[in-house]
Amino acid sequence: MPRGGWYSVGVVLLFALLPFVYGNHALLFNMMMYLVLAQGINVLFGFTGYLPFGYVGFFGAGAYGASLAILLVHLPPVPALFVGAAVSVLVALLLAPLLRLSGAYFAIASLAASEVVYYIVSNPHLVSLTQGPYGISLAQVYNSGASYATMVVVLAMALAAVVYLRNSHMGLALQAIREEPISAGFAGINVVRERTRAWLLSAALAGLAGGAYAWHVSVFYPKSVFDLNISVFAIVFTLFGGVATLVGPIVGTLLLYGLYNWIGISQPEYFQLVFGIVIVLLVLFLPNGLVSLLRRAKIHVP
Amino acid sequence: MIAYTLLAGLLFGLYFSLVALGLNLVFGVMRLINLAHGDFLMLGAFLAYGLYSSAGVNPVYAIPAEIVAFVLAGVALYYAVVPRLLSSRDPEMLSFILLFGLSQIIEALAVIAFGNDQRAIPATVFGIHPVSLFGQTFPAAWAVSAVVSAAAILAVYFYLYRSRLGHATRAVMASRDEAASTGINVHRVSAIALGAGLALAAIAGAFSPFMLGSIGPDMGIRITTVSFAVIVIGSLGNPLGTVLGGLVYGLGLMLMETYFPSWANLLPYVLLILILLIRPSGLLGKRVRLA
Amino acid sequence: MSPSAPLLSVERLSKRFGAFQALDGLTLELAPGEVLGLVGPNGSGKTTAINVISGVYSADAGSILLDGRSIGGLPIHRRAHLGINRTFQVPKPFRGLTVGENLEVAAVYSRADRAEIGKCLEFLELAPLVGREAASLNSAQQKRLDLARALIARPRLLLVDELGAGLNPVELQRMAQTLTTIARSGVALLVVEHLLGFLRELTTRVVVMDAGREIFEGSLEVAARDRQVIDVFLGG
């Protein structure tokens, strides 16, 4: 088993079995969704150093791609999910030139890009295609059990992707690019190709999560699947746990989304306050996240 | 119609220059993007709103209070976090994330303090008569906002080009290390620039009820993005280039609102992406750092 | 001029940054296993020459031939595959990775195996540091790691930028031996260096640059007596 493999199997089994003993399925589903998104952020930010503020754009594109495949082409939900992921990957391909930008420029440009996708999808002139601002209803295919199971599979795919990066030359090459892109070129790495692959992989994960989310909730508005807070949550969960590891984003998501569920739903502003303070403290005192505490104690973290 | 659109574009262009000016000043001096810029603008809006609703203070007279409060806030913020960040391994990314956290804190505190309701200051605070300009009539609030913006831009010009502090500030903009080696107190200059940047945002905030619609705690991130678009269009790190970016954006926005209203929302984002990809140096000035 | 067919041949290379002409028609040739020193005052274009030959910048005009084949339009990794590699004045290791991982990254594309990585680590005295994070190395160690990363890629042409700067006399002596060993194995070296004593250990042949142009080519001893070279170094 590759490093981190057993952890991944454990997490997937946990979410597959918990619904039989724990009743709050919405919490479990959303937690899985954020686990997928956090690992997607991890692929891009953790391994390549690009911080995609507009990551939610891929999630929304996947949700709409899958929904329109169901509504317009009458595909069954599971194949439609892959159409959603393909739409996200297509959007990512169109936006690939953004990878020429570095640091904060990339972060803000990707945010702008997700807003562009949002305003196009929700434009009243496109009602005949996307339903514009009125949102999507997939009531005819609603199936809470099957869509939950689908998200478990998507989670397994996301974890497998990160386990692969943690154990492969590609993961090492991506980290080299993140650290020093010019030296990476002299190490023989095709920098543009590798980071584009990471970008597409990360978009595909968000697209799958978006499609599974659309199917699970079955009624949603463009605002709710292009909500910037989705990017923000996934980014902070990842940073909090620790990037470029398998375990960091898992720990970050379980703790912080758990906290959100505890205080955030009834009093979102207090959660946001805690959230902001966590970010500031993290940057000042623990920039490599919680798992760096384990590393300091010489415990290996997959 | 076109004359009205162009003139309105100029008035809004001046105002958007002010909205973005502080962000560019801070970027020029510290090479960091203040992701909480829009949130400081929001706080400035609430300060003006508070003074108006509690004591009937006209937003123009709120300006001195805005300056004092936000210069102090900026200086305090600088000394609290920036020197520590600059010595870290990846100052650009870490400060970006930290300011993002700060933006979350400010927004949360604003919701806790003011609630989620949208607020407005009636435009009649500047009188009920519209202003006539080259045969076109505009709300007085637009004209007042544009005049205040122009005055603030001039003030920044005198600060940067006609004062000793401004001379030192421009030296830090050119090169932080070299400025330090010539005996300039880089921290003091930067702290004041951050204070000035926040104060400019706050002044813009005082007029946002008339120019950007109602005010609410969640307005920050959108304004930060629009401001970033404006300074990228003009020239990153060159405060006066902001004016060019503001005018281009203001005119573009008014033309879109007039001829393609349902797509106007896309304008700042599309402009931002296109400029970053096609002409990263902005319409004038320095290059964006590329990966 | 060169003893055998040139490995690298650079012709009339020019590069401008805004109003500053960093390279102005530079021409030079280098044979396999040969060591050529590139010297000149600050701003004379030495580092720009290395940056353009290695592909960090593209040239405005002129040609770069490797084995007679033009490589001027190729991206960095393609040049690395063809056998061009380099070190940096300020070393650029992958700071967050361990010393061992730094070399593994480069080994993927050159298919160097574990034994070869081990030998390279021994050769550059990095073996005891294999598990350490690159960021924690001192500057002399980072320079050797930079060199190791370049060597693992199996270069035929190695561009060395100010490797001597900041090293103490003992380290300088060792570095000179290391570079000489590398050259003897058949790798051509283009060495940008301020420390002429260090350079003298490596080669006798130098090109002196001023304002982006070659003003002298020949032996270091003759260069030291050349009127124009002296003027450039003393008068600026």
Side-chain angles (χ1 to χ4, degrees), chain A residues 59-69 121 130-132 135-136 210 214 220-222 225-226:
Chain A
F59 179 80
Y64 265 87
S67 301
L68 297 182
V121 167
T130 65
Q131 321 285 330
I136 294 278
F220 61 90
Y221 293 97
V225 292
F226 286 100

Side-chain angles (χ1 to χ4, degrees), chain A residues 183-253:
Chain A
S183 294
F186 286 107
I189 299 167
N190 185 339
V191 173
V192 173
R193 190 185 69 196
E194 293 301 322
R195 69 186 180 203
T196 305
R197 283 167 65 180
W199 171 241
L200 299 182
L201 171 61
S202 161
L205 291 175
L208 288 170
Y213 174 83
W215 186 20
H216 192 73
V217 297
S218 79
V219 175
F220 61 90
Y221 293 97
K223 235 185 171 40
S224 55
V225 292
F226 286 100
D227 183 353
L228 184 63
N229 279 321
I230 295 176
S231 292
V232 167
F233 274 26
I235 289 171
V236 178
F237 295 167
T238 310
L239 285 172
F240 181 65
V243 296
T245 63
L246 173 78
V247 170
I250 297 176
V251 171
T253 304

Side-chain angles (χ1 to χ4, degrees), chain A residues 57 61 89 104 141 184 244 250 288 299:
Chain A
V89 169
V141 296
I250 297 176
N288 294 318
I299 297 171

Side-chain angles (χ1 to χ4, degrees), chain C residues 184-227:
Chain C
R184 291 218 177 104
S185 73
V187 179
L189 297 182
L190 181 61
V191 183
V192 166
E193 195 50 74
H194 266 113
L195 305 172
L196 297 184
F198 175 63
L199 193 57
R200 196 171 286 119
E201 306 267 323
L202 302 174
T203 183
T204 54
R205 187 175 156 235
V206 295
V207 163
V208 183
M209 290 183 70
D210 181 43
R213 263 184 296 248
E214 176 192 310
I215 57 165
F216 174 89
E217 178 176 358
S219 84
L220 202 52
E221 307 311 320
V222 179
R225 295 193 300 271
D226 185 278
R227 193 69 245 164

